[in-house]
């Protein structure tokens, strides 16, 4: 009998919610999996092979190409209706990405550190002055990146509940196509109105500068700017918010390493800790998706033109060749070469911002609240098994 093809995505390890599925280690460096629509794309689990595929532009990121292994029908429909540059190939991907690159340079993001510190300290002040226990997700983990990305883009923070509810729809596994389109359309309509307002009254923020520099010259359309802004808003807070909460939970489970972070005055240790937590937690769980544009040999297997391929970064970041004892959290590990942000031309544009935000959070929260602890049993923490961005729905804490 032919070997059964496993379903993907695979559930996380039952014994530890921080670990990826043990099944990922059993399927080999490249094998077939079955996804929601019955198709059987290739799954790659090996770190080196993933980087090779991500660097090879014969594998297309265009979600409109036949054979592209979309995460869900809802995501496929929404991406095709309002396509952002991450779902494009060069040269159009490169053209649009370059218009944003200067807004996310390491130097510019470091320049935001004082403002990020101010936001973090202000939210901690509010927590300390309020009742306890408190949900760290709603009181801290979500507001930090939401305030930062709103500042950067030039979007009123008063609309953050609106953005949060729509973004959540776009990353939930059970969202229908109609719900995804509605959420995407509402986000885009709001941002198109904002673009129009900035045409009339220019502002010195990312959307304002795109309007002044690119829309006015015809280099970008209003729809393209709105699609960019939707991507930045959703990616800019969903991922970082989940890293803040899930990272805090992982450290609360490891008091010795939490104490090291809390008590250190060495910035390098905080930098290391951020990179190791990004590697260890792997909050993006659906894998990076591509489709072959020609016949290509991958790890000894022939991937034919039109066949999809999924790169499971949660497996790559637990590759024991690259990361000895990969299932152990070690804040002293040199983990900067992880692939939490991807690799190649499509690697995450906002990674310098995410790094600064997380460095500020991890160096501040536990120092300011040194007795922070869970307010419920660990077994009662509600994990986001229903989302493509992994984390916790809530995290009740006290001190």
């Amino acid at each position: 009998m032919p070997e059964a093809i496993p379903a993907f995505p695979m559930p996380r390890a039952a014994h530890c919610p921080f670990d990826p599925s043990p099944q990922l280690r059993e399927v080999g460096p490249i094998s077939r999996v079955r996804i929601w629509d019955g198709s059987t794309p290739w799954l790659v689990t090996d770190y080196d092979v993933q980087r090779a595929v991500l660097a090879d532009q014969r594998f297309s990121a265009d979600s409109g190409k036949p054979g592209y292994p979309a995460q869900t029908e809802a995501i496929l429909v929404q991406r095709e209706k309002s396509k952002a540059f991450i779902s494009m190939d060069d040269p159009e991907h490169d053209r649009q990405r370059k218009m944003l690159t200067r807004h996310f340079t390491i130097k510019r993001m470091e320049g935001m550190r004082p403002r990020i510190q101010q936001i973090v300290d202000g939210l901690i002040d509010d927590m300390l002055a309020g009742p306890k226990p408190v949900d760290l997700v709603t009181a801290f983990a979500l507001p930090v990146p939401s305030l930062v990305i709103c500042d950067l883009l030039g979007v009123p923070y008063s609309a953050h509940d609106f953005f949060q509810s729509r973004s959540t729809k776009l990353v939930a596994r059970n969202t229908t196509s109609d719900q995804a389109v509605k959420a995407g359309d509402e986000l885009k309509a709001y941002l198109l109105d904002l673009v129009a307002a900035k045409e009339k009254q220019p502002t010195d923020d990312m959307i304002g500068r795109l309007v002044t520099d690119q829309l006015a010259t015809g280099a970008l359309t209003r729809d393209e700017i709105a699609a960019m802004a939707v991507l930045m808003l959703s990616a800019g807070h969903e991922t970082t918010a989940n890293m803040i909460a899930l990272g805090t939970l992982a450290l609360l489970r490891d008091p010795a390493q939490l104490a090291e972070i809390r008590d250190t005055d060495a910035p390098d240790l905080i930098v290391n800790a951020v990179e190791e937590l990004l590697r260890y937690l792997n909050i993006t769980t659906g894998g990076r998706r591509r489709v072959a544009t020609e016949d290509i040999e991958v790890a000894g297997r022939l991937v034919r033109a039109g066949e999809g391929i999924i790169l499971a970064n949660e497996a790559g970041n637990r590759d024991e060749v690259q990361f000895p004892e990969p299932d152990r959290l070690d804040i002293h590990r040199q983990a900067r070469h992880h692939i939490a942000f991807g690799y190649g031309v499509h690697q995450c544009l906002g990674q310098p911002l995410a790094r600064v935000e997380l460095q500020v959070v991890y160096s501040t929260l536990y120092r300011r609240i040194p007795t922070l602890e869970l307010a419920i049993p660990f077994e009662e923490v509600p994990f986001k098994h229903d989302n493509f961005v992994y984390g916790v729905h809530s995290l009740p804490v006290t001190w």
Side-chain angles (χ1 to χ4, degrees), residues 304-363:
R304 297 194 177 277
E307 290 185 338
I309 190 164
I310 300 172
L311 312 161
N313 53 285
E314 63 265 42
N317 278 335
R318 295 294 184 98
D319 187 320
E320 62 185 2
V321 174
Q322 295 294 327
F323 307 101
E325 296 184 81
D327 296 335
R328 182 171 66 89
L329 177 66
D330 178 6
I331 61 173
H332 295 280
R333 188 195 305 270
Q334 298 296 315
R336 181 69 183 245
H337 59 297
H338 64 72
I339 47 176
F341 293 118
Y343 186 73
V345 298
H346 280 278
Q347 65 182 295
C348 176
L349 181 70
Q351 59 184 289
L353 175 59
R355 285 187 162 107
V356 172
E357 287 179 284
L358 293 172
Q359 288 164 18
V360 172
V361 165
Y362 293 144
S363 65

Side-chain angles (χ1 to χ4, degrees), residues 12-47:
R12 288 211 167 207
H15 68 282
C16 178
F18 302 122
D19 289 349
S21 170
Q23 196 175 359
L24 288 170
R25 288 198 173 103
E26 301 166 4
V27 296
I30 180 168
S31 59
R32 294 278 193 180
V33 289
R34 193 176 306 280
I35 60 174
W36 61 275
D37 63 354
S39 63
T40 55
W42 296 95
L43 176 73
V44 173
T45 60
D46 180 86
Y47 173 94

Side-chain angles (χ1 to χ4, degrees), residues 145-215:
S146 296
L147 281 161
V148 171
I149 200 65
C150 285
D151 272 8
L152 184 66
L153 291 178
V155 173
Y157 181 67
S158 57
H160 73 279
D161 286 341
F162 169 81
F163 292 124
Q164 174 61 29
S165 62
R166 275 66 178 178
S167 295
T168 299
K169 284 289 184 189
L170 296 179
V171 299
R173 294 184 191 274
N174 58 0
T175 297
T176 66
S177 298
D178 288 346
Q179 289 171 333
V181 168
K182 183 173 185 291
D185 284 352
E186 288 172 349
L187 279 173
K188 191 171 181 181
Y190 177 92
L191 289 159
L192 282 170
D193 287 344
L194 192 62
V195 167
K198 291 176 187 290
E199 283 185 83
K200 295 175 182 175
Q201 187 171 346
T203 54
D204 186 23
D205 48 58
M206 186 184 297
I207 296 176
R209 288 190 290 271
L210 287 172
V211 168
T212 302
D213 300 341
Q214 310 299 342
L215 179 61

Side-chain angles (χ1 to χ4, degrees), residues 361-382:
V361 165
Y362 293 144
S363 65
T364 306
L365 178 61
Y366 320 124
R367 174 178 52 79
R368 296 265 334 259
I369 312 180
T371 56
L372 189 74
E373 62 181 10
L374 272 178
I376 59 172
F378 177 76
E379 294 73 23
E380 294 179 13
V381 174

Side-chain angles (χ1 to χ4, degrees), residues 235-285:
H237 81 268
E238 278 288 343
T239 49
T240 305
N242 283 289
M243 270 302 304
I244 291 170
L246 196 63
T248 296
L249 180 58
L251 290 170
L252 288 172
R253 298 288 286 174
D254 195 329
Q257 294 197 79
L258 175 58
E260 278 195 78
I261 291 173
R262 182 191 66 217
D263 299 336
T264 188
D265 57 3
D268 286 351
L269 179 61
I270 300 298
V271 170
N272 265 16
V274 166
E275 300 304 327
E276 172 67 350
L277 284 160
L278 285 163
R279 178 203 72 83
Y280 178 73
L281 293 174
N282 291 294
I283 59 165
T284 52
T285 59

